[in-house]
Coordinates of all heavy atoms in Angstrom, one line a residue:
M1 N -13.2 -7.2 -8.7 CA -12.5 -7.0 -7.4 C -11.1 -7.5 -7.6 O -10.8 -8.5 -8.1 CB -13.2 -7.9 -6.4 CG -12.5 -7.8 -5.0 SD -13.4 -8.7 -3.7 CE -14.9 -7.7 -3.6
I2 N -10.1 -6.7 -7.1 CA -8.7 -7.0 -7.2 C -8.1 -7.3 -5.8 O -6.9 -7.8 -5.8 CB -7.9 -5.9 -7.9 CG1 -7.9 -4.6 -7.1 CG2 -8.4 -5.7 -9.3 CD1 -7.0 -3.6 -7.6
Q3 N -8.8 -7.2 -4.7 CA -8.2 -7.5 -3.4 C -9.3 -8.0 -2.5 O -10.4 -7.5 -2.4 CB -7.7 -6.2 -2.8 CG -7.0 -6.4 -1.5 CD -5.7 -7.1 -1.6 OE1 -4.8 -6.7 -2.2 NE2 -5.6 -8.3 -1.0
K4 N -9.0 -9.1 -1.8 CA -9.8 -9.7 -0.8 C -9.1 -10.0 0.5 O -7.8 -9.9 0.5 CB -10.4 -11.1 -1.3 CG -11.5 -11.0 -2.3 CD -12.0 -12.4 -2.6 CE -13.1 -12.4 -3.6 NZ -13.5 -13.7 -3.9
N5 N -9.8 -10.3 1.5 CA -9.2 -10.7 2.8 C -8.4 -9.6 3.5 O -7.4 -9.9 4.1 CB -8.3 -12.0 2.7 CG -9.1 -13.1 2.1 OD1 -10.3 -13.3 2.5 ND2 -8.5 -13.9 1.3
T6 N -8.8 -8.4 3.4 CA -8.3 -7.3 4.1 C -9.5 -6.6 4.8 O -10.6 -6.8 4.4 CB -7.5 -6.3 3.3 OG1 -8.3 -5.8 2.2 CG2 -6.2 -6.9 2.7
R7 N -9.2 -5.7 5.8 CA -10.3 -5.0 6.4 C -10.0 -3.5 6.4 O -8.9 -3.1 6.4 CB -10.3 -5.5 7.9 CG -10.7 -6.9 8.1 CD -10.6 -7.4 9.6 NE -9.2 -7.3 10.0 CZ -8.7 -6.7 11.1 NH1 -9.6 -6.1 11.9 NH2 -7.5 -6.7 11.4
R8 N -11.1 -2.8 6.3 CA -11.1 -1.3 6.3 C -10.1 -0.7 5.4 O -9.3 0.1 5.7 CB -10.8 -0.9 7.8 CG -12.0 -1.2 8.7 CD -11.8 -0.6 10.1 NE -11.7 0.8 10.0 CZ -11.1 1.6 10.9 NH1 -10.6 1.0 12.0 NH2 -11.0 2.9 10.8
N9 N -10.2 -1.2 4.1 CA -9.3 -0.6 3.1 C -9.7 0.9 2.9 O -10.8 1.2 2.9 CB -9.4 -1.4 1.8 CG -8.6 -2.7 1.9 OD1 -9.0 -3.6 2.6 ND2 -7.5 -2.7 1.3
C10 N -8.6 1.7 2.8 CA -8.8 3.1 2.6 C -8.2 3.5 1.3 O -8.3 2.8 0.3 CB -8.2 3.8 3.8 SG -9.1 5.2 4.4
S11 N -7.6 4.6 1.3 CA -7.1 5.2 0.0 C -5.9 4.4 -0.5 O -5.3 3.6 0.2 CB -6.6 6.6 0.3 OG -6.1 7.2 -0.9
G12 N -5.7 4.6 -1.8 CA -4.6 3.9 -2.4 C -4.2 4.7 -3.7 O -4.7 5.8 -3.9
G13 N -3.5 4.0 -4.5 CA -3.2 4.7 -5.8 C -2.4 3.8 -6.7 O -1.8 2.8 -6.3
R14 N -2.3 4.3 -7.9 CA -1.6 3.5 -9.0 C -0.1 3.8 -8.9 O 0.3 5.0 -8.6 CB -2.1 4.0 -10.3 CG -1.5 3.3 -11.5 CD -2.0 3.9 -12.8 NE -1.5 3.2 -14.0 CZ -0.3 3.5 -14.5 NH1 0.5 4.4 -14.0 NH2 0.1 2.8 -15.6
T15 N 0.7 2.8 -9.1 CA 2.2 3.0 -9.1 C 2.6 3.3 -10.6 O 1.8 3.0 -11.5 CB 2.9 1.8 -8.7 OG1 2.7 0.7 -9.6 CG2 2.5 1.3 -7.3
W16 N 3.7 3.8 -10.8 CA 4.2 4.2 -12.1 C 4.5 2.9 -12.9 O 4.7 2.9 -14.1 CB 5.3 5.2 -12.2 CG 6.6 4.7 -11.6 CD1 7.6 4.1 -12.4 CD2 7.1 4.8 -10.3 NE1 8.7 3.8 -11.6 CE2 8.4 4.2 -10.3 CE3 6.6 5.2 -9.1 CZ2 9.2 4.1 -9.1 CZ3 7.3 5.1 -8.0 CH2 8.6 4.6 -8.0
W17 N 4.6 1.7 -12.3 CA 4.9 0.5 -13.0 C 3.6 -0.3 -13.2 O 3.7 -1.4 -13.7 CB 6.0 -0.4 -12.3 CG 5.7 -0.7 -10.8 CD1 5.0 -1.8 -10.4 CD2 6.1 0.0 -9.7 NE1 4.9 -1.8 -9.0 CE2 5.5 -0.7 -8.6 CE3 6.8 1.2 -9.5 CZ2 5.7 -0.2 -7.3 CZ3 7.0 1.6 -8.2 CH2 6.4 0.9 -7.1
G18 N 2.5 0.3 -12.9 CA 1.2 -0.3 -13.3 C 0.5 -1.2 -12.3 O -0.6 -1.8 -12.6
T19 N 0.9 -1.2 -11.0 CA 0.2 -2.0 -10.0 C -0.6 -1.0 -9.2 O -0.5 0.2 -9.4 CB 1.1 -2.8 -9.1 OG1 2.0 -1.9 -8.5 CG2 1.8 -3.9 -9.9
W20 N -1.3 -1.4 -8.2 CA -2.1 -0.6 -7.3 C -1.7 -0.8 -5.9 O -1.5 -2.0 -5.4 CB -3.6 -1.0 -7.5 CG -4.5 -0.1 -6.7 CD1 -5.0 -0.3 -5.5 CD2 -5.0 1.2 -7.2 NE1 -5.8 0.8 -5.1 CE2 -5.8 1.7 -6.1 CE3 -4.8 2.0 -8.3 CZ2 -6.5 2.9 -6.2 CZ3 -5.5 3.2 -8.4 CH2 -6.3 3.6 -7.4
L21 N -1.5 0.3 -5.1 CA -1.3 0.2 -3.7 C -2.6 0.5 -2.9 O -3.3 1.4 -3.3 CB -0.2 1.2 -3.3 CG 1.2 1.0 -3.9 CD1 2.1 2.2 -3.5 CD2 1.8 -0.3 -3.5
T22 N -2.9 -0.3 -2.0 CA -4.1 -0.1 -1.1 C -3.7 -0.1 0.3 O -2.9 -1.0 0.7 CB -5.2 -1.1 -1.5 OG1 -6.3 -0.8 -0.7 CG2 -4.7 -2.6 -1.2
C23 N -4.3 0.8 1.1 CA -3.9 0.9 2.5 C -5.0 0.2 3.3 O -6.2 0.4 3.1 CB -3.9 2.4 2.9 SG -2.5 3.2 2.1
E24 N -4.6 -0.5 4.4 CA -5.5 -1.1 5.3 C -5.5 -0.3 6.6 O -4.5 -0.1 7.2 CB -5.1 -2.5 5.6 CG -6.1 -3.3 6.4 CD -5.7 -4.8 6.6 OE1 -4.6 -5.0 6.8 OE2 -6.6 -5.6 6.5
E25 N -6.7 0.3 7.0 CA -6.8 1.2 8.1 C -7.2 0.4 9.3 O -8.4 0.5 9.8 CB -7.8 2.3 7.7 CG -7.7 3.4 8.7 CD -8.6 4.6 8.3 OE1 -9.4 4.4 7.3 OE2 -8.6 5.6 8.9
T26 N -6.3 -0.4 9.9 CA -6.5 -1.1 11.2 C -5.3 -1.0 12.0 O -4.2 -0.6 11.5 CB -6.8 -2.6 10.9 OG1 -5.7 -3.2 10.4 CG2 -8.0 -2.8 10.0
S27 N -5.3 -1.3 13.3 CA -4.1 -1.1 14.1 C -3.0 -2.0 13.6 O -1.8 -1.6 13.9 CB -4.5 -1.5 15.6 OG -4.9 -2.8 15.6
G28 N -3.2 -3.1 13.0 CA -2.1 -3.9 12.4 C -2.0 -3.9 10.9 O -1.5 -4.8 10.3
G29 N -2.6 -2.8 10.4 CA -2.7 -2.7 8.9 C -1.4 -2.6 8.2 O -0.4 -2.4 8.8
G30 N -1.5 -2.7 6.9 CA -0.4 -2.5 6.0 C -0.7 -1.9 4.7 O -1.9 -1.5 4.5
V31 N 0.3 -1.8 3.9 CA 0.0 -1.3 2.5 C 0.3 -2.5 1.6 O 1.3 -3.2 1.7 CB 1.0 -0.2 2.2 CG1 0.8 0.3 0.8 CG2 0.8 1.0 3.2
F32 N -0.7 -2.8 0.8 CA -0.6 -4.0 -0.1 C -0.5 -3.5 -1.5 O -1.1 -2.6 -1.9 CB -1.8 -4.9 0.1 CG -2.1 -5.3 1.5 CD1 -3.0 -4.7 2.3 CD2 -1.3 -6.4 2.0 CE1 -3.2 -5.1 3.6 CE2 -1.5 -6.8 3.3 CZ -2.4 -6.2 4.1
E33 N 0.3 -4.3 -2.3 CA 0.4 -4.1 -3.7 C -0.3 -5.2 -4.5 O -0.1 -6.4 -4.2 CB 1.9 -4.1 -4.1 CG 2.1 -3.8 -5.6 CD 3.6 -3.9 -6.0 OE1 4.4 -4.5 -5.3 OE2 3.9 -3.2 -7.0
V34 N -1.2 -4.8 -5.4 CA -2.0 -5.7 -6.1 C -1.9 -5.4 -7.6 O -1.7 -4.2 -8.0 CB -3.4 -5.9 -5.7 CG1 -3.5 -6.4 -4.3 CG2 -4.1 -4.5 -5.7
H35 N -2.1 -6.3 -8.5 CA -2.1 -6.1 -9.9 C -3.6 -5.8 -10.3 O -4.5 -6.6 -9.9 CB -1.6 -7.2 -10.7 CG -1.3 -6.9 -12.1 ND1 -2.2 -6.9 -13.1 CD2 -0.1 -6.5 -12.7 CE1 -1.7 -6.5 -14.2 NE2 -0.4 -6.3 -14.0
P36 N -3.9 -4.8 -11.1 CA -5.3 -4.5 -11.4 C -6.0 -5.6 -12.2 O -7.2 -5.6 -12.2 CB -5.2 -3.2 -12.2 CG -3.8 -3.0 -12.6 CD -2.9 -3.8 -11.6
K37 N -5.2 -6.5 -12.8 CA -5.9 -7.6 -13.6 C -5.6 -8.9 -12.8 O -5.5 -10.0 -13.4 CB -5.3 -7.7 -15.0 CG -5.7 -6.4 -15.8 CD -5.2 -6.5 -17.2 CE -5.6 -5.2 -17.9 NZ -5.2 -5.2 -19.3
N38 N -5.6 -8.8 -11.5 CA -5.4 -10.0 -10.6 C -6.5 -11.0 -10.8 O -7.7 -10.7 -10.5 CB -5.3 -9.5 -9.2 CG -4.9 -10.5 -8.2 OD1 -4.6 -11.7 -8.6 ND2 -4.8 -10.2 -7.0
N39 N -6.2 -12.2 -11.2 CA -7.2 -13.2 -11.3 C -7.4 -14.0 -10.0 O -8.3 -14.8 -9.9 CB -6.8 -14.2 -12.4 CG -6.8 -13.6 -13.8 OD1 -7.7 -12.8 -14.0 ND2 -5.9 -14.0 -14.7
S40 N -6.5 -13.7 -9.0 CA -6.6 -14.3 -7.7 C -6.6 -13.3 -6.6 O -5.6 -13.0 -6.0 CB -5.5 -15.3 -7.5 OG -5.5 -16.3 -8.5
P41 N -7.8 -12.6 -6.4 CA -7.8 -11.5 -5.4 C -7.4 -11.9 -4.0 O -7.2 -11.1 -3.1 CB -9.2 -11.0 -5.5 CG -10.0 -11.8 -6.4 CD -9.0 -12.8 -7.0
E42 N -7.4 -13.2 -3.7 CA -7.0 -13.7 -2.3 C -5.5 -13.4 -2.1 O -5.0 -13.4 -1.0 CB -7.3 -15.2 -2.1 CG -8.8 -15.5 -2.1 CD -9.3 -15.7 -3.5 OE1 -8.6 -15.8 -4.5 OE2 -10.6 -15.6 -3.7
I43 N -4.7 -13.4 -3.2 CA -3.3 -13.1 -3.1 C -3.0 -11.7 -2.9 O -3.5 -10.8 -3.7 CB -2.6 -13.6 -4.4 CG1 -2.8 -15.1 -4.6 CG2 -1.1 -13.3 -4.4 CD1 -2.3 -15.7 -5.9
K44 N -2.3 -11.4 -1.9 CA -2.0 -10.0 -1.6 C -0.5 -9.9 -1.3 O 0.1 -10.9 -0.7 CB -2.8 -9.4 -0.5 CG -2.7 -10.1 0.8 CD -3.6 -9.5 1.9 CE -3.5 -10.3 3.1 NZ -4.5 -9.9 4.1
R45 N 0.2 -8.9 -1.7 CA 1.6 -8.8 -1.5 C 1.8 -7.6 -0.6 O 1.6 -6.5 -0.8 CB 2.3 -8.5 -2.9 CG 3.7 -8.3 -2.8 CD 4.3 -8.0 -4.2 NE 5.6 -7.5 -4.0 CZ 6.3 -7.0 -5.0 NH1 5.8 -6.8 -6.2 NH2 7.5 -6.5 -4.8
H46 N 2.4 -8.0 0.6 CA 2.7 -7.0 1.6 C 3.9 -6.1 1.1 O 4.8 -6.7 0.4 CB 3.2 -7.6 2.9 CG 2.1 -7.9 3.9 ND1 1.6 -6.9 4.7 CD2 1.5 -9.0 4.2 CE1 0.6 -7.4 5.4 NE2 0.5 -8.7 5.1
T47 N 3.9 -4.9 1.3 CA 5.0 -4.0 1.0 C 5.7 -3.7 2.2 O 5.3 -4.0 3.4 CB 4.5 -2.7 0.3 OG1 3.8 -1.9 1.3 CG2 3.6 -2.9 -0.9
L48 N 6.9 -3.1 2.1 CA 7.7 -2.7 3.3 C 7.2 -1.4 3.8 O 7.6 -0.9 4.9 CB 9.2 -2.7 3.0 CG 9.8 -4.0 2.7 CD1 11.3 -3.8 2.3 CD2 9.7 -4.9 3.9
I49 N 6.3 -0.7 3.1 CA 5.8 0.6 3.5 C 5.0 0.4 4.8 O 4.1 -0.3 4.8 CB 4.9 1.2 2.4 CG1 5.7 1.4 1.1 CG2 4.4 2.6 2.9 CD1 4.9 1.8 -0.1
G50 N 5.5 1.1 5.8 CA 4.8 1.1 7.1 C 5.1 -0.1 8.0 O 4.7 -0.2 9.1
R51 N 6.0 -0.9 7.5 CA 6.4 -2.1 8.3 C 7.9 -2.0 8.6 O 8.6 -3.1 8.8 CB 6.1 -3.4 7.6 CG 4.6 -3.5 7.4 CD 4.2 -5.0 7.1 NE 2.8 -5.1 7.1 CZ 2.1 -5.6 8.0 NH1 2.7 -6.1 9.1 NH2 0.8 -5.7 7.9
Q52 N 8.5 -0.9 8.7 CA 9.9 -0.7 8.9 C 10.1 -0.4 10.4 O 9.2 -0.1 11.1 CB 10.5 0.3 8.1 CG 10.4 0.0 6.6 CD 11.0 1.1 5.7 OE1 11.7 2.0 6.2 NE2 10.7 1.1 4.5
N53 N 11.3 -0.5 10.9 CA 11.7 -0.1 12.2 C 11.0 -0.9 13.3 O 10.6 -0.3 14.3 CB 11.6 1.4 12.4 CG 12.4 2.2 11.5 OD1 13.5 1.8 11.1 ND2 11.8 3.3 10.9
G54 N 10.7 -2.2 13.0 CA 10.0 -3.0 14.0 C 8.5 -2.8 14.2 O 7.9 -3.3 15.0
R55 N 7.9 -1.9 13.3 CA 6.5 -1.6 13.5 C 5.7 -2.8 12.9 O 6.1 -3.4 12.0 CB 6.1 -0.3 12.8 CG 6.8 0.9 13.4 CD 6.3 2.1 12.9 NE 4.8 2.2 13.1 CZ 4.1 3.1 12.5 NH1 4.6 3.9 11.7 NH2 2.8 3.2 12.8
N56 N 4.5 -3.0 13.4 CA 3.6 -4.0 12.9 C 2.5 -3.5 12.1 O 1.4 -4.1 12.0 CB 3.1 -4.9 14.1 CG 4.2 -5.7 14.7 OD1 5.0 -6.2 14.0 ND2 4.1 -5.8 16.0
G57 N 2.6 -2.3 11.6 CA 1.5 -1.8 10.8 C 0.9 -0.6 11.5 O 1.3 -0.2 12.6
G58 N -0.2 -0.1 10.9 CA -0.9 1.0 11.5 C -2.2 1.3 10.8 O -2.6 0.6 9.9
N59 N -2.8 2.4 11.2 CA -4.1 2.8 10.6 C -3.8 3.7 9.4 O -3.9 4.9 9.4 CB -4.9 3.6 11.6 CG -5.4 2.8 12.7 OD1 -6.1 1.8 12.5 ND2 -5.1 3.2 13.9
Y60 N -3.4 3.0 8.3 CA -2.9 3.8 7.1 C -4.1 4.3 6.3 O -5.0 3.6 5.8 CB -2.0 2.9 6.3 CG -0.8 2.5 7.1 CD1 -0.5 1.1 7.2 CD2 0.0 3.4 7.7 CE1 0.6 0.8 8.0 CE2 1.0 3.1 8.4 CZ 1.4 1.7 8.6 OH 2.4 1.4 9.3
E61 N -4.0 5.6 6.0 CA -5.1 6.3 5.3 C -4.8 6.3 3.8 O -5.6 6.1 3.0 CB -5.2 7.7 5.8 CG -6.3 8.5 5.2 CD -7.7 8.1 5.6 OE1 -7.9 7.6 6.7 OE2 -8.6 8.3 4.8
G62 N -3.5 6.6 3.4 CA -3.2 6.8 2.0 C -1.7 6.7 1.8 O -0.9 6.8 2.7
V63 N -1.4 6.5 0.6 CA 0.0 6.4 0.2 C 0.2 7.2 -1.2 O -0.7 7.1 -2.0 CB 0.5 5.0 0.1 CG1 -0.2 4.2 -1.0 CG2 2.0 4.9 -0.2
A64 N 1.3 7.8 -1.3 CA 1.6 8.5 -2.5 C 3.1 8.4 -2.8 O 3.9 8.0 -1.9 CB 1.2 10.0 -2.4
Y65 N 3.6 8.8 -4.0 CA 5.0 8.7 -4.3 C 5.5 9.8 -5.1 O 4.7 10.5 -5.8 CB 5.3 7.3 -4.9 CG 4.7 7.2 -6.3 CD1 5.3 7.7 -7.4 CD2 3.5 6.5 -6.4 CE1 4.7 7.5 -8.7 CE2 2.9 6.4 -7.6 CZ 3.5 6.9 -8.8 OH 2.9 6.7 -10.0
D66 N 6.8 10.0 -5.1 CA 7.4 11.0 -5.9 C 8.5 10.2 -6.7 O 9.5 9.8 -6.1 CB 8.0 12.1 -5.1 CG 8.9 13.1 -5.9 OD1 9.0 12.9 -7.1 OD2 9.3 14.1 -5.2
N67 N 8.4 10.1 -8.0 CA 9.4 9.3 -8.7 C 10.1 10.2 -9.7 O 10.5 9.7 -10.8 CB 8.7 8.1 -9.5 CG 7.8 8.6 -10.6 OD1 7.2 9.6 -10.6 ND2 7.7 7.8 -11.7
R68 N 10.3 11.4 -9.4 CA 11.2 12.3 -10.2 C 12.5 11.7 -10.4 O 13.1 11.8 -11.5 CB 11.2 13.7 -9.7 CG 9.9 14.4 -9.9 CD 9.9 15.8 -9.3 NE 9.9 15.7 -7.8 CZ 9.8 16.7 -7.0 NH1 9.8 17.9 -7.4 NH2 9.7 16.5 -5.7
D69 N 13.1 11.0 -9.4 CA 14.3 10.3 -9.5 C 13.9 8.8 -9.5 O 13.7 8.2 -8.4 CB 15.2 10.6 -8.3 CG 16.5 9.8 -8.4 OD1 16.7 8.9 -9.2 OD2 17.4 10.1 -7.5
T70 N 13.8 8.2 -10.6 CA 13.3 6.8 -10.7 C 14.2 5.8 -10.1 O 13.8 4.7 -9.8 CB 13.0 6.4 -12.2 OG1 14.2 6.6 -13.0 CG2 11.8 7.2 -12.7
N71 N 15.5 6.2 -9.9 CA 16.4 5.3 -9.2 C 16.3 5.4 -7.7 O 16.8 4.5 -6.9 CB 17.8 5.6 -9.6 CG 18.1 5.3 -11.0 OD1 17.7 4.3 -11.5 ND2 18.8 6.2 -11.7
N72 N 15.6 6.4 -7.2 CA 15.4 6.6 -5.7 C 14.0 7.2 -5.5 O 14.0 8.3 -5.0 CB 16.6 7.5 -5.2 CG 16.6 7.5 -3.7 OD1 16.1 6.6 -3.0 ND2 17.1 8.6 -3.2
P73 N 13.0 6.5 -5.7 CA 11.6 7.1 -5.5 C 11.4 7.3 -4.0 O 11.9 6.5 -3.2 CB 10.7 6.0 -6.1 CG 11.4 4.7 -6.0 CD 12.9 5.1 -6.1
K74 N 10.5 8.2 -3.7 CA 10.1 8.5 -2.3 C 8.7 8.2 -2.2 O 7.8 8.6 -3.0 CB 10.3 10.0 -2.0 CG 11.7 10.5 -2.3 CD 12.7 10.1 -1.3 CE 14.0 10.8 -1.4 NZ 15.0 10.2 -2.3
F75 N 8.3 7.5 -1.1 CA 6.9 7.1 -0.8 C 6.5 7.9 0.5 O 7.3 8.0 1.4 CB 6.8 5.6 -0.6 CG 6.9 4.9 -1.8 CD1 8.1 4.5 -2.4 CD2 5.7 4.5 -2.5 CE1 8.2 3.8 -3.6 CE2 5.8 3.8 -3.7 CZ 7.1 3.4 -4.2
F76 N 5.3 8.3 0.5 CA 4.7 9.1 1.6 C 3.5 8.4 2.1 O 2.6 8.0 1.3 CB 4.4 10.5 1.2 CG 5.5 11.2 0.6 CD1 5.8 11.2 -0.7 CD2 6.4 12.0 1.4 CE1 6.9 11.9 -1.3 CE2 7.5 12.6 0.9 CZ 7.8 12.6 -0.4
L77 N 3.4 8.2 3.4 CA 2.3 7.4 4.0 C 1.6 8.3 5.0 O 2.2 8.9 5.9 CB 2.9 6.2 4.6 CG 2.0 5.1 5.2 CD1 1.1 4.5 4.1 CD2 2.9 4.0 5.8
T78 N 0.3 8.3 5.0 CA -0.5 9.0 6.1 C -1.1 7.9 7.0 O -1.5 6.8 6.5 CB -1.6 9.9 5.5 OG1 -2.5 9.1 4.7 CG2 -1.0 11.0 4.6
E79 N -1.2 8.3 8.2 CA -1.8 7.4 9.2 C -2.8 8.1 10.1 O -2.5 9.2 10.6 CB -0.6 6.8 10.1 CG -1.1 5.8 11.1 CD 0.1 5.1 11.8 OE1 1.2 5.6 11.6 OE2 -0.2 4.2 12.6
D80 N -4.0 7.5 10.3 CA -5.0 8.1 11.2 C -4.5 7.8 12.6 O -4.0 6.8 12.9 CB -6.3 7.5 11.0 CG -7.0 8.1 9.8 OD1 -6.5 9.1 9.2 OD2 -8.1 7.6 9.4
S81 N -4.9 8.8 13.5 CA -4.5 8.6 14.9 C -5.7 9.1 15.8 O -6.2 10.2 15.4 CB -3.2 9.3 15.3 OG -3.0 9.2 16.6
S82 N -6.0 8.4 16.8 CA -7.0 8.9 17.7 C -6.4 9.8 18.8 O -7.2 10.2 19.7 CB -7.8 7.7 18.3 OG -6.9 6.9 19.0
N83 N -5.1 10.0 18.9 CA -4.5 10.8 19.9 C -4.5 12.2 19.5 O -4.3 12.6 18.5 CB -3.1 10.3 20.2 CG -3.1 8.9 20.7 OD1 -4.0 8.5 21.3 ND2 -2.0 8.2 20.5

């Protein structure tokens, strides 16, 4: 296990620098970055993905990236909505 103390984790994926992004699908959820060989799964690193522009998180389904320009990678985030 590489991640603890989160709820309703959904999709995620490997980064090109070797860590893992995992999405928390709750109203205040976030995207967390963890190391696959994490010896302390209680430690989670919040990312800025989904927490910009004053938002407090969301029902995040998945995250992906485009690193064709490694100096300016693009991240894409999907969010479930009941509306």
Side-chain angles (χ1 to χ4, degrees):
M1 178 177 292
I2 63 170
Q3 183 70 61
K4 284 185 178 179
N5 301 324
T6 57
R7 296 174 294 132
R8 292 185 59 202
N9 284 71
C10 218
S11 178
R14 183 182 181 278
T15 65
W16 70 92
W17 56 89
T19 60
W20 186 264
L21 297 175
T22 182
C23 294
E24 187 176 43
E25 193 176 4
T26 64
S27 60
V31 178
F32 302 99
E33 181 182 24
V34 294
H35 194 280
K37 295 184 180 178
N38 187 4
N39 292 327
S40 300
E42 295 82 14
I43 298 172
K44 59 186 178 185
R45 179 178 166 195
H46 271 281
T47 67
L48 292 178
I49 300 171
R51 296 196 176 259
Q52 297 177 15
N53 302 321
R55 295 188 63 194
N56 290 323
N59 290 307
Y60 299 125
E61 182 72 29
V63 62
Y65 64 86
D66 175 357
N67 71 326
R68 287 177 284 185
D69 178 356
T70 56
N71 293 319
N72 190 24
K74 306 284 190 275
F75 288 83
F76 302 91
L77 186 61
T78 59
E79 183 173 6
D80 279 354
S81 176
S82 59
N83 296 336

